[in-house]
């Protein structure tokens, strides 16, 4: 069944590239649907590849990591299509492709989105130092899209630009641009975190495997009880004591007697808590 599935996907990739070879020189040809479909196939197989839990530090081509994986076979097949790859890098990533070909009824943003998406999907099999060699114009365009563009082009361009900036020579050449991009992208990450629909979902902050850990992070607040871990001077975690929060004042001082101490006696721990539920 696995062999049949692989053959089906390879056949679809072959048919897509064959159709492209036959049609891309025709007037009014739109490459966006072909690029989008290729990206969709690669993204599915990339997810399947990652489910096999490959070594994250292994930067080899996926086909070398696992010769039987479909992702590696797809990448090898596409990289043999020199004309297609050249068109992708040198034509479809330009914001003047349609205008230069006298096509006026197409949205160039949609083509750039599809091309940038596919480029990002192909990165695991590309030698970036070769792809971005003498491609300063493309890098400037990626910087422009990363800085100010529509989504998802902005996000795809950010990923492709990150791969380019991983090359020391390019990072050094675009040092000034990087100095502006880093704070901008950090701000976007913060906005993304704060606007996430999961921000109020407690499941995100749960620790389903906490019982496997020998360390817990004091204090822990939940159900009106504050639990504190008494940690001895040698750094080992001991038993947990509990304080029930019943003080009516906004800020109360609680003295809690730990059941454990270094010398067998008791030790007092002072905690300041808010009775109104604040931190």
């Amino acid at each position: 069944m696995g062999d049949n599935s692989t053959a089906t996907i390879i056949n679809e990739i072959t048919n897509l590239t064959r159709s492209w070879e036959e049609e891309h020189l025709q007037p009014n040809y739109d490459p966006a649907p072909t690029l989008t479909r290729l990206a969709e196939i690669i993204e599915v197989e990339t997810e399947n590849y990652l489910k096999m839990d490959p070594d994250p530090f292994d930067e080899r081509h996926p086909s070398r990591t696992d010769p039987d994986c479909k992702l590696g076979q797809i990448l090898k097949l596409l990289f043999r299509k020199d004309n297609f790859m050249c068109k992708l890098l040198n034509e479809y990533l330009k914001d003047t492709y349609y205008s230069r070909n006298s096509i006026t009824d197409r949205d160039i943003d949609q083509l750039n989105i599809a091309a940038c998406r596919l480029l990002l999907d192909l990165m695991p099999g590309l030698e970036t130092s070769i792809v971005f060699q003498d491609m300063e114009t493309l890098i400037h365009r990626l910087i422009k899209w990363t800085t100010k563009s529509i989504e998802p082009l902005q996000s795809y361009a950010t990923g492709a630009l990150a791969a380019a900036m991983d090359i020391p020579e390019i990072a050094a050449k675009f040092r000034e641009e990087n100095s502006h991009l880093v704070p901008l992208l950090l701000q976007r990450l913060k906005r993304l975190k704060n606007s996430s629909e999961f921000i109020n979902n407690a499941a995100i902050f749960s620790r389903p495997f906490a019982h496997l850990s020998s360390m817990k992070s004091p204090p822990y607040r939940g159900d009106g009880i504050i639990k504190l871990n008494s940690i001895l001077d040698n750094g080992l975690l001991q038993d947990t004591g509990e304080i029930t929060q019943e003080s009516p004042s906004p800020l109360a001082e609680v003295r809690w007697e730990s059941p454990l101490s270094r010398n067998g006696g008791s030790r007092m721990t002072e905690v300041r808590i808010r009775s109104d539920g604040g931190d």
Side-chain angles (χ1 to χ4, degrees), residues 203-221:
I204 287 184
F205 305 103
S206 66
R207 298 178 60 211
F209 303 107
H211 62 285
L212 300 177
S213 174
S214 61
M215 295 295 292
K216 298 178 182 178
S217 302
Y220 167 80
R221 180 186 295 273

Side-chain angles (χ1 to χ4, degrees), residues 109-110 113-114 116-117 149-158:
D109 286 336
Q110 297 307 310
I113 288 171
C116 205
R117 176 184 180 182
S149 184
I150 63 171
E151 286 289 6
L153 179 57
Q154 189 176 82
S155 295
Y156 290 141
T158 301

Side-chain angles (χ1 to χ4, degrees), residues 47 49 108 138 143 256 273:
E47 184 175 354
Y49 174 72
I108 189 60
L138 174 59
I143 291 174
W256 172 70
I273 62 173

Side-chain angles (χ1 to χ4, degrees), residues 1-273:
M1 182 176 179
D3 292 340
N4 292 335
S5 176
T6 301
T8 300
I9 292 174
I10 295 300
N11 285 338
E12 183 175 2
I13 295 288
T14 302
N15 291 334
L16 286 169
T17 54
R18 183 183 296 118
S19 297
W20 178 87
E21 290 169 348
E22 295 172 353
E23 301 172 5
H24 79 279
L25 294 178
Q26 297 178 4
N28 213 38
Y29 173 73
D30 184 9
T34 298
L35 302 182
T36 300
R37 181 55 188 153
L38 288 172
E40 290 172 349
I41 295 173
I42 295 173
E43 286 163 9
V44 170
E45 294 309 321
T46 298
E47 184 175 354
N48 291 335
Y49 174 72
L50 294 176
K51 287 178 181 178
M52 296 189 296
D53 196 22
D55 184 353
F57 297 103
D58 190 346
E59 298 182 352
R60 292 179 299 168
H61 193 287
S63 64
R64 292 184 178 273
T65 304
D66 181 5
D68 296 326
C69 77
K70 286 180 279 189
L71 175 62
Q73 296 179 40
I74 291 171
L75 295 178
K76 287 171 64 176
L77 177 60
L78 286 177
F79 295 155
R80 294 193 188 106
K81 306 295 182 179
D82 293 338
N83 290 337
F84 176 80
M85 293 302 299
C86 287
K87 275 283 189 178
L88 175 64
L89 292 170
N90 299 323
E91 298 290 336
Y92 299 153
L93 285 168
K94 290 183 177 179
D95 48 14
T96 58
Y97 175 78
Y98 285 145
S99 60
R100 287 188 297 103
N101 288 277
S102 302
I103 301 175
T104 58
D105 59 343
R106 303 271 171 76
D107 184 359
I108 189 60
D109 286 336
Q110 297 307 310
L111 175 60
N112 293 153
I113 288 171
C116 205
R117 176 184 180 182
L118 181 57
L119 174 62
L120 186 59
D121 291 338
L122 293 173
M123 283 298 174
L126 289 174
E127 185 63 50
T128 53
S129 60
I130 297 176
V131 171
F132 292 107
Q133 186 177 12
D134 300 325
M135 296 289 281
E136 289 191 25
T137 302
L138 174 59
I139 295 174
H140 278 294
R141 193 175 303 117
L142 291 174
I143 291 174
K144 182 185 74 172
W145 287 341
T146 299
T147 305
K148 186 177 182 181
S149 184
I150 63 171
E151 286 289 6
L153 179 57
Q154 189 176 82
S155 295
Y156 290 141
T158 301
L161 182 62
M165 291 301 176
D166 200 35
I167 304 169
E169 293 79 6
I170 294 179
K173 187 176 295 185
F174 291 89
R175 184 181 293 108
E176 183 176 352
E177 289 82 354
N178 270 329
S179 66
H180 297 291
L181 283 170
V182 169
L184 174 65
L185 296 179
L186 287 175
Q187 290 176 4
R188 286 182 187 166
L189 285 174
K190 291 179 181 178
R191 286 201 302 268
L192 180 63
K193 175 180 178 294
N194 294 333
S195 64
S196 172
E197 61 180 347
F198 304 108
I199 191 63
N200 295 320
N201 189 344
I204 287 184
F205 305 103
S206 66
R207 298 178 60 211
F209 303 107
H211 62 285
L212 300 177
S213 174
S214 61
M215 295 295 292
K216 298 178 182 178
S217 302
Y220 167 80
R221 180 186 295 273
D223 300 328
I225 296 176
I226 295 180
K227 300 178 180 179
L228 296 178
N229 299 314
S230 178
I231 302 177
L232 300 184
D233 292 346
N234 60 7
L236 297 177
L237 182 69
Q238 303 296 334
D239 291 345
T240 300
E242 293 187 357
I243 305 172
T244 302
Q245 183 178 328
E246 297 178 348
S247 173
S249 62
L251 184 63
E253 290 188 359
V254 179
R255 294 182 66 81
W256 172 70
E257 184 173 337
S258 171
L260 297 171
S261 74
R262 181 173 49 189
N263 299 319
S266 63
R267 182 169 54 185
M268 304 300 292
T269 304
E270 184 173 280
V271 186
R272 296 175 67 85
I273 62 173

